[in-house]
């Protein structure tokens, strides 16, 4: 599958602030690709962008928050290094891990980067590390699937930047002196940083004292890029940003359209002491409405009023000279999208009737066109409430969707409409039709059919009237297709460029690189080769091979399919990727001999740095010089290993060993296996290698790699493929395949002599926690203990699908029951540590899942421990919480893995270990072997019951 297709869907959920800010802004809710603010990032591997970071607030739920570093009160904490065995302190406040782990987590983060639209300047966005728990403890409203900070009138738990520094990029690729953005209030927390189209100004929001209802609200500021002088955009100090949905967008070089809190808004509605009546939901029409276990939904009329209160904005046109003008009526505006020619603005809004069943993304949605000066043009669509979207993969909303501006035209719209009623189970041809129409069509002018698709629409890369690439896919078969179309020539039929399996990473040809136009949009970059009339584009690929990824850049003739490799990553020591084009300032085709790109470069032990590479001699200039974030682990050992499952499936994992470790002299180590299962349609695809052995070992705040500092071996990401070939459903043999994969991994680390057979722990987060509990239930012979964070354990509580399973509980009852470790709580005899955020809002992983699982375990006398983290969501953010999670994890590993002395004194050779593993094979596990051609008739019959799967957005 071309990565362009994959990333298209991700990009449609986020707004981007500049061509090279590269990572999503928060809140992640925009439904269209935005002009001026969105580059084509299909050519980038997101794992490479750890320093080129978001320019806006990121919900700290993902654990990457950039808020100020918190401190843990000395009255409620103690050093963990010496008290793992002291049970008297187990319930005493927040704890901290030993210093060798704490120091890594507390290391200051490097700045984020953003390049200007013309690639001549770069911003260093300064940030702090983990936020204190007090920030998470701020009150928040849980409404329609959102969490809103009422004081700020924004999404809650936003991270922020603490300062901005701008450097000129000199002709030789080096930086000029820093111009610091100044004039900001003391303690300013900066979000939503955006370049103006002409790169002369920056816009951003500021909040200051979050304890004060007014100053905690966000105000919009402007900074002059040359001088660094910052000032408020609005002359009145009482105009505040409404950042619940979209916030603001540059309409032209000197004007912004801003979502503001209506000036006439009074205090929030008060909850009535006595309800006006019972809470009633009805389905007397007998509609079929199946939804996943969404959280934070509206509950009553008061919640509906509160949602209206916080989400309603007044749009204001604000010029840099201080003039302002109200734009349209107050409404819940969710997206603002100017046309490339700056004449129109496409505006999305939502309205009543709301739903108590689904989040706001499915509320009634209206899309309108307005002129850039605030005159209504026409309504494009008004979509009804979409409660009834089927849970089947590739099912979509009815009506117009994915409405966008053509990037290569001044003001031409395109969109797609389903022909199957949005239900993927309906067989129809075509399934989707792509339409196009001018912003203001002539009277009687009908939309033009651009292309018809038999799979589900997946996006378009525009170039010009002679070239566009259209993507379609079908999850159930993993098929993806790329079409070449000529939008301006009806007599030129579309043709298939690529038709392949999304799982076959070895055949991935790469994604087309994009260039910026003068209008600020991004189109496919056409390359001109001297003395050659071919029509060339650049394909940026991950270069998956059996030895690991070797990223590349190919010069691809779109007419003939011929390709020439013009750049490739170092294969021996480094892992390099192409991040973006840097030579697209001029209109027309780009000259190959004047090509300039931005690349990232890293190794196992060297932090990611960024370089300019310039043709024709491919001169390299290093742009950054970030220090090693944890020098104490700079010499860690990393190896990508391969081994085989009993049914012949080739598996991979990354093995990390502590600095200076030598298995021949130091002997086997305690080992932590940390993983997350994945679903596949074929054994061949599941066997392919993904990732690179030369990637830098990035260590997050709750990463398993932290335990390298405590002399653990870490088996990171061993592949746990759950395969359902043909008509078989992967999850119908989930347990058998899970156990077989885990046994192969454990056998391999023991065979290598790096892991002690009696001191191997297993852990995972979310679906990895589900995996962990299942392994302790069904493969107790493999692991000494387990750590399960933020998991779901009873699938009957997620009856309308979970993870990639889109059959309902009633369609696949046995699968739901057999996959649920809750149903096997009586089988879990090894120690298990459960950790969960008290405010988990992820679909499926309600905190109740861990509560009830712990109760079931305790009811059977299992050795277990449950840790509920106040204020934390699905991921953990606050420093106090993260430090405590690490302390709990360290204690668990120390007590039940490192100190596991059961049979530890017995020397076991690999033959004995294999025999023990073989004895531990469950009856169910033999079915995974039967599925590959052997086994009993009874085992094979069970395979016929297998059936189906969906994207991993819901756990």
């Amino acid at each position: 599958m071309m990565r362009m297709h994959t990333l298209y869907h991700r990009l449609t959920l986020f707004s981007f602030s500049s061509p090279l800010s590269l990572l999503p802004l928060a809140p992640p809710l925009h439904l269209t690709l935005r002009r001026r603010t969105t580059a084509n990032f299909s050519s980038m591997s997101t794992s490479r962008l750890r320093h080129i970071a978001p320019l806006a607030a990121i919900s700290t739920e993902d654990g990457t928050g950039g808020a100020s570093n918190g401190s843990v009160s000395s009255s409620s904490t103690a050093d963990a290094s010496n008290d793992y065995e002291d049970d008297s302190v187990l319930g005493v406040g927040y704890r901290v891990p030993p210093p060798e782990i704490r120091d890594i987590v507390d290391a200051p983060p490097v700045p984020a980067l953003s390049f200007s639209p013309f690639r001549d300047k770069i911003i260093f966005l300064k940030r702090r590390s983990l936020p204190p728990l007090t920030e998470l403890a701020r009150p928040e409203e849980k409404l329609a699937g959102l969490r809103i900070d009422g004081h700020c009138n924004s999404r809650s738990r936003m991270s922020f930047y603490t300062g901005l520094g701008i450097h000129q990029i000199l002709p030789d690729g080096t930086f000029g002196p820093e111009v610091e953005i100044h004039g900001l209030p003391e303690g300013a927390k900066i979000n939503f940083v955006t370049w103006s189209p002409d790169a002369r100004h920056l816009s951003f929001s500021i909040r200051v004292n979050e304890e004060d209802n007014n100053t905690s609200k966000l105000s919009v500021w402007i900074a002059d890029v040359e001088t660094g002088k910052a000032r408020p955009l609005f002359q009145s100090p009482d105009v505040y940003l409404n950042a619940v949905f979209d916030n603001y967008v540059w309409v032209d070089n000197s004007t912004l359209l801003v979502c503001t809190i209506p000036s006439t808004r009074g205090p929030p509605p008060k909850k009535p002491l006595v309800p006006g009546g019972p809470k009633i939901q009805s389905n007397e029409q007998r509609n079929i409405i199946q939804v996943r276990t969404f959280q934070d939904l509206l509950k009553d009329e008061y919640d509906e009023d509160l949602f209206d209160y916080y989400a309603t904005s007044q749009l204001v046109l604000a010029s840099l000279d201080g003039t302002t003008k109200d734009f349209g009526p107050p409404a819940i505006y969710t997206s603002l999208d100017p046309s490339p020619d700056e004449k129109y603005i496409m505006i999305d809004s939502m309205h009543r009737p709301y739903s108590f069943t689904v989040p706001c993304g499915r509320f009634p949605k209206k899309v309108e066109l307005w002129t850039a000066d605030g005159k209504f043009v026409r309504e494009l669509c008004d979509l009804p409430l979409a409660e009834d979207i089927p849970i089947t993969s590739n099912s979509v909303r009815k009506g117009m969707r994915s409405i966008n501006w053509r990037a290569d035209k001044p003001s031409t719209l395109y969109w797609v409409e389903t022909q199957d009623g949005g239900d993927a189970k309906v067989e129809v041809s075509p399934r989707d039709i792509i339409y196009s129409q001018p912003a203001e069509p002539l009277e009687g002018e009908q939309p033009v059919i651009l292309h018809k698709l038999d799979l589900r629409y997946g996006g378009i890369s525009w170039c010009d009237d002679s070239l566009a690439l259209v993507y379609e896919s079908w999850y159930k078969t993993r098929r993806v297709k790329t079409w070449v179309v000529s939008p301006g020539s009806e007599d030129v039929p579309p043709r298939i460029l690529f038709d392949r399996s999304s799982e076959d990473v070895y055949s991935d040809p790469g994604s087309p690189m994009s260039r910026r136009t003068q209008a600020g949009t991004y189109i496919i970059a056409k390359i001109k080769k001297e003395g050659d009339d071919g029509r060339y584009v650049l394909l940026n690929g991950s270069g998956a091979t059996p030895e690991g990824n070797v990223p590349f850049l190919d010069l691809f003739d779109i007419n003939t399919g011929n390709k020439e490799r013009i750049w490739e990553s170092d294969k021996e020591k480094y892992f390099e990727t192409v991040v973006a084009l840097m030579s697209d300032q001029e209109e027309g085709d780009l000259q190959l001999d004047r090509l300039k790109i931005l690349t990232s470069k890293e190794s196992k032990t060297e932090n990611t740095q960024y370089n300019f590479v310039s043709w024709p001699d491919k001169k390299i200039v290093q742009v950054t010089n970030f220090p090693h974030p944890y020098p104490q682990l700079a010499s860690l050992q990393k190896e990508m290993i391969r081994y085989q499952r009993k049914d012949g499936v080739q598996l991979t994992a990354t093995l990390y060993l502590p600095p200076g470790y030598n298995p021949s002299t130091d002997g086997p180590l305690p080992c932590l296996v940390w993983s997350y299962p994945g679903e596949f349609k074929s054994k061949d695809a599941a066997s392919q290698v993904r990732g690179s052995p030369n990637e830098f070992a990035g260590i997050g705040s709750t990463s398993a790699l932290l335990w390298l500092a405590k002399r653990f071996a870490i088996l990171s990401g061993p592949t746990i493929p759950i395969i359902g070939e043909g008509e078989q459903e992967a999850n119908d043999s989930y347990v058998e395949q899970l156990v077989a994969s885990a046994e192969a991994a454990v056998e391999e680390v023991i065979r290598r002599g790096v892991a002690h057979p009696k001191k191997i722990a297993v852990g995972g987060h979310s679906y990895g926690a589900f995996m962990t509990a299942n392994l302790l239930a069904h493969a107790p012979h493999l692991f000494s203990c387990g750590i399960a964070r933020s998991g779901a354990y009873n699938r009957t509580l997620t009856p309308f699908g979970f993870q990639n399973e889109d059959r309902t509980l009633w369609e696949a009852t046995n699968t739901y029951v057999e996959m649920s470790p809750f149903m096997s709580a009586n089988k879990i005899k090894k120690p298990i540590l459960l950790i969960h955020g008290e405010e988990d809002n992820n679909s499926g992983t309600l905190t109740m899942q861990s509560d009830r699982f712990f109760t079931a375990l305790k009811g059977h006398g299992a050795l277990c421990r449950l840790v509920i983290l106040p204020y934390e969501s699905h991921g953990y953010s606050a420093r106090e919480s993260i430090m405590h999670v690490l302390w709990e994890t360290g204690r668990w590993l120390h007590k039940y893995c490192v100190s596991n002395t059961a049979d530890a004194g017995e020397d076991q050779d690999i033959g004995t270990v294999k025999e023990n593993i073989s004895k531990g094979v469950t009856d169910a596990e033999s079915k995974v072997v039967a599925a590959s051609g052997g086994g009993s008739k009874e085992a094979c019959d069970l395979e016929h019951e297998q059936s189906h799967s969906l994207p991993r957005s819901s756990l």
Side-chain angles (χ1 to χ4, degrees):
M1 177 180 185
M2 291 189 67
R3 284 179 295 137
M4 174 61 199
H5 165 74
T6 303
L7 287 167
Y8 173 83
H9 284 294
R10 186 168 69 237
L11 290 171
T12 58
L13 299 177
F14 300 100
S15 140
F16 289 76
S17 142
S18 84
L20 289 177
S21 61
L22 303 187
L23 289 185
L25 303 183
L29 38 93
H30 301 306
L31 305 179
T32 59
L33 292 172
R34 288 180 51 182
R35 165 217 179 239
R36 301 206 184 284
T37 61
T38 307
N40 173 13
F41 306 117
S42 59
S43 58
M44 307 168 197
S45 167
T46 54
S47 64
R48 308 279 56 76
L49 307 177
R50 60 176 64 94
H51 301 314
I52 302 186
L55 289 187
I58 304 176
S59 168
T60 55
E61 175 185 312
D62 61 6
T64 58
S68 60
N69 191 13
S71 60
V72 183
S73 170
S74 59
S75 63
S76 62
T77 64
D79 195 319
S81 56
N82 296 316
D83 61 10
Y84 281 150
E85 299 298 333
D86 184 0
D87 289 345
S88 66
V89 301
L90 290 185
V92 183
Y94 286 96
R95 313 305 303 278
V96 293
E100 52 264 52
I101 289 177
R102 188 168 68 236
D103 291 348
I104 296 173
V105 177
D106 275 340
V110 299
L113 308 180
S114 174
F115 289 84
S116 72
F118 301 114
R119 315 293 198 264
D120 59 340
K121 296 181 178 65
I122 185 172
I123 308 177
F124 280 71
L125 300 106
K126 301 163 188 180
R127 50 187 178 176
R128 295 183 183 176
S129 53
L130 300 173
L133 190 62
T134 53
E135 291 194 7
L136 272 65
R138 289 170 50 80
E140 59 183 2
E141 303 291 345
K142 301 173 182 178
L143 302 168
L146 308 179
R147 293 188 173 180
I148 298 171
D149 185 325
H151 288 297
C152 295
N153 216 104
S154 67
R155 298 295 180 90
S156 61
R157 308 184 182 201
M158 292 195 303
S159 63
F160 59 87
Y161 298 107
T162 59
L164 308 174
I166 304 176
H167 293 267
Q168 183 79 27
I169 300 175
L170 303 176
D172 61 359
T174 59
F175 294 159
E178 181 183 70
V179 176
E180 184 176 2
I181 301 300
H182 58 278
L184 307 179
E186 184 177 356
K189 300 176 180 179
I190 302 169
N191 294 110
F192 308 119
V193 184
T194 310
W195 292 92
S196 65
D198 61 5
R200 295 178 58 189
H201 294 89
L202 291 176
S203 58
F204 49 90
S205 70
I206 283 181
R207 51 195 161 104
V208 189
N209 179 11
E210 295 188 345
E211 300 307 316
D212 183 285
N213 284 352
N214 286 327
T215 57
S216 66
K217 291 183 171 62
L218 283 73
S219 56
V220 184
W221 282 59
I222 297 293
D224 185 284
V225 170
E226 292 300 324
T227 65
K229 175 64 177 176
R231 61 177 177 82
L233 172 64
F234 294 100
Q235 293 181 352
S236 169
D238 298 323
V239 180
Y240 299 107
L241 187 67
N242 187 335
V244 171
F245 288 106
D246 209 347
N247 40 75
Y248 54 78
V249 65
W250 287 90
V251 176
D252 55 38
N253 292 329
S254 59
T255 309
L256 294 94
L257 182 61
V258 185
C259 294
T260 69
I261 298 173
S263 59
T264 57
R265 190 179 80 173
K270 292 185 178 180
K271 188 170 187 175
L273 296 177
V274 178
K279 299 175 183 178
I280 298 173
Q281 297 187 58
S282 175
N283 190 33
E284 296 183 38
Q285 298 78 24
R286 298 189 177 185
N287 296 322
I288 297 176
I289 298 175
Q290 301 177 351
V291 296
R292 299 214 171 190
T293 48
F294 298 119
Q295 300 190 54
D296 299 339
L297 301 177
L298 299 177
K299 299 181 291 296
D300 50 33
E301 291 182 1
Y302 168 72
D303 274 2
E304 291 182 311
D305 293 341
L306 207 58
F307 178 71
D308 281 337
Y309 178 84
Y310 287 115
T312 298
S313 296
Q314 172 62 61
L315 297 181
V316 176
L317 275 176
S319 297
L320 298 185
D321 62 8
T323 60
T324 61
K325 172 187 175 183
D326 285 356
F327 187 111
I332 300 178
Y333 295 107
T334 59
S335 176
L336 314 173
D337 191 11
S339 62
D341 62 3
E342 302 177 351
K343 292 183 179 179
Y344 303 96
I345 302 176
M346 181 166 56
I347 299 177
D348 294 9
S349 61
M350 63 178 60
H351 60 82
R352 296 188 183 222
Y354 300 147
S355 170
F356 300 152
T357 305
V358 295
C360 61
R362 297 192 184 184
F363 288 0
K365 172 184 175 181
K366 184 182 294 184
V367 183
E368 299 175 332
L369 279 188
W370 292 67
T371 62
D373 59 357
K375 296 177 183 177
F376 176 77
V377 177
R378 64 183 176 115
E379 181 183 285
L380 296 177
C381 65
D382 191 351
L383 304 177
L385 179 65
E387 287 184 325
D388 59 348
I389 299 175
I391 63 173
T392 311
S393 301
N394 291 120
S395 293
V396 295
R397 191 173 192 158
K398 301 172 186 176
M400 297 173 67
R401 69 182 199 278
S402 300
I403 309 172
N404 287 292
W405 297 106
R406 273 186 61 167
D408 61 329
K409 292 289 183 180
S411 53
T412 298
L413 295 162
Y414 70 97
W415 67 93
V416 63
E417 295 185 30
T418 179
Q419 306 301 299
D420 57 14
D423 189 348
K425 290 183 178 179
V426 174
E427 295 295 333
V428 64
S429 178
R431 188 174 293 277
D432 273 339
I433 298 179
I434 305 169
Y435 295 94
S436 180
Q437 189 178 52
E440 292 193 72
L442 301 175
E443 185 175 352
E445 183 180 0
Q446 297 300 310
V448 173
I449 294 178
L450 181 68
H451 193 48
K452 298 179 179 181
L453 302 168
D454 284 336
L455 307 182
R456 189 61 81 202
Y457 169 79
I460 302 179
S461 294
W462 297 98
C463 184
D464 52 33
D465 273 338
S466 67
L467 175 63
L469 299 182
V470 179
Y471 310 97
E472 62 175 333
S473 67
W474 199 245
Y475 179 78
K476 189 171 181 65
T477 61
R478 308 301 199 273
R479 188 180 183 188
V480 290
K481 297 164 70 173
T482 302
W483 292 86
V484 178
V485 299
S486 298
S489 305
E490 294 183 6
D491 56 336
V492 179
R495 62 182 175 87
I496 287 287
L497 184 65
F498 304 118
D499 186 352
R500 47 184 296 274
S501 168
S502 61
E503 293 183 336
D504 183 10
V505 295
Y506 291 170
S507 70
D508 187 351
S511 303
M513 297 203 70
S514 291
R515 55 156 302 156
R516 186 180 186 272
T517 68
Q518 293 297 310
T521 61
Y522 285 80
I523 62 173
I524 296 173
K526 288 201 296 187
I527 307 298
K528 189 168 184 60
K529 189 177 180 182
E530 188 173 355
D532 192 328
D533 294 330
R535 190 165 61 151
Y536 293 101
V537 299
L538 295 172
L539 293 183
N540 186 7
S542 59
T545 74
E547 289 71 44
N549 289 0
V550 183
F552 63 83
L553 192 62
D554 280 350
L555 188 66
F556 182 76
D557 191 320
I558 204 75
N559 292 328
T560 67
N562 296 329
K563 62 179 67 174
E564 174 190 351
R565 187 139 301 178
I566 62 172
W567 179 90
E568 188 174 67
S569 172
D570 180 281
K571 299 178 183 179
E572 301 304 321
K573 180 180 178 182
Y574 291 101
F575 178 72
E576 303 167 283
T577 62
V578 176
V579 178
L581 281 174
M582 302 296 289
S583 56
D584 58 358
Q585 291 81 13
E586 299 178 2
E587 289 289 292
D589 295 353
L590 304 182
Q591 300 293 325
L592 179 61
D593 61 359
R594 290 160 54 191
L595 194 65
K596 184 178 181 180
I597 60 176
L598 178 70
T599 66
S600 67
K601 184 178 182 179
E602 62 196 84
S603 72
K604 297 176 184 179
T605 57
E606 296 174 63
N607 197 7
T608 304
Q609 308 294 348
Y610 294 91
N611 302 306
F612 292 139
V613 181
S614 303
W615 271 252
D617 55 358
K618 299 182 184 177
K619 179 184 177 183
I620 299 174
V621 176
Q622 185 169 321
V623 177
T624 59
N625 188 25
F626 296 122
H628 198 292
Y630 20 88
Q632 57 271 56
L633 293 179
S635 58
L636 62 80
Q637 303 173 52
K638 175 185 176 183
E639 181 183 359
M640 183 177 285
I641 63 175
R642 302 199 68 181
Y643 48 97
Q644 185 170 294
R645 202 166 74 177
K646 288 178 178 165
D647 59 350
V649 176
Q650 292 291 321
L651 305 178
T652 60
T654 304
L655 177 62
Y656 293 89
L657 298 170
Y661 169 72
N662 185 331
S664 62
T665 57
D666 298 338
L669 299 171
C671 178
L672 175 58
V673 178
W674 198 270
S675 193
Y676 191 102
E679 292 80 15
F680 293 88
K681 287 301 294 180
S682 75
K683 293 179 181 178
D684 288 343
S687 296
Q688 292 184 351
V689 176
R690 293 161 173 83
S692 167
N694 294 325
E695 291 179 83
F696 180 70
I699 301 179
S701 58
T702 56
S703 170
L705 300 187
L706 288 166
W707 268 265
L708 289 168
K710 298 297 289 183
R711 305 295 292 176
F712 267 73
I714 308 295
L715 192 67
S716 177
T719 49
I720 311 283
I722 311 299
I723 304 166
E725 293 190 302
E727 295 302 315
Q728 294 180 334
E729 295 295 343
N731 282 339
D732 288 342
S733 57
Y734 172 87
V735 170
E736 304 86 55
Q737 296 194 59
L738 177 70
V739 171
S741 298
E743 286 188 330
V746 168
E747 185 174 319
E748 178 64 17
V749 291
I750 294 173
R751 183 191 67 79
R752 288 171 171 263
V754 298
H756 193 291
K758 296 294 184 179
K759 299 182 180 183
I760 301 177
V762 62
H765 188 95
S766 197
Y767 206 52
F770 177 73
M771 169 205 75
T772 298
N774 265 310
L775 285 172
L776 293 187
H778 301 291
H781 55 292
L782 296 179
F783 303 104
S784 62
C785 64
I787 300 160
R789 300 192 318 221
S790 299
Y793 308 102
N794 184 352
R795 286 307 171 194
T796 68
L797 297 177
T798 56
F800 290 106
F802 58 89
Q803 197 69 4
N804 288 345
E805 177 61 68
D806 57 10
R807 293 171 297 176
T808 70
L809 168 64
W810 299 271
E811 293 171 318
T813 305
N814 289 342
T815 297
Y816 273 68
V817 171
E818 291 170 5
M819 286 184 70
S820 297
F822 180 86
M823 305 301 179
S824 300
N826 60 320
K827 298 180 182 179
I828 296 179
K829 308 301 181 184
K830 295 297 179 68
I832 183 169
L833 172 64
L834 303 174
I835 302 176
H836 217 119
E838 191 172 28
E839 304 295 332
D840 193 329
N841 64 344
N842 185 59
S843 175
T845 57
L846 293 80
T847 308
M848 173 183 67
Q849 288 272 5
S850 286
D851 285 331
R852 293 189 176 178
F853 188 40
F854 176 72
T855 301
L857 291 167
K858 191 168 62 170
H860 289 90
L863 197 168
C864 54
R865 180 173 171 85
L866 173 63
V867 179
I868 301 295
L869 302 170
Y871 303 114
E872 294 290 352
S873 187
H874 190 59
Y876 317 138
S877 305
R879 183 178 186 274
E880 292 93 329
S881 302
I882 287 172
M883 291 297 178
H884 189 81
V885 166
L886 297 176
W887 180 84
E888 292 279 1
T889 303
R891 173 185 175 272
W892 207 253
L893 293 175
H894 175 78
K895 190 167 186 178
Y896 301 112
C897 182
V898 176
S899 300
N900 180 27
T901 56
D903 299 325
E906 300 177 11
D907 293 330
Q908 298 188 24
D909 59 25
I910 187 62
T912 304
V913 171
K914 286 185 177 180
E915 181 181 353
N916 289 342
I917 290 178
S918 179
K919 289 178 180 178
V921 176
T922 63
D923 292 338
E925 187 197 340
S926 63
K927 296 166 189 170
V928 76
V929 180
S932 64
S936 66
K937 178 182 183 298
E938 181 182 3
C940 293
D941 286 344
L942 180 123
E943 296 301 318
H944 289 299
E945 299 175 9
Q946 297 180 339
S947 228
H948 180 160
S949 310
L950 207 181
R952 59 162 80 153
S953 58
S954 300
L955 300 177

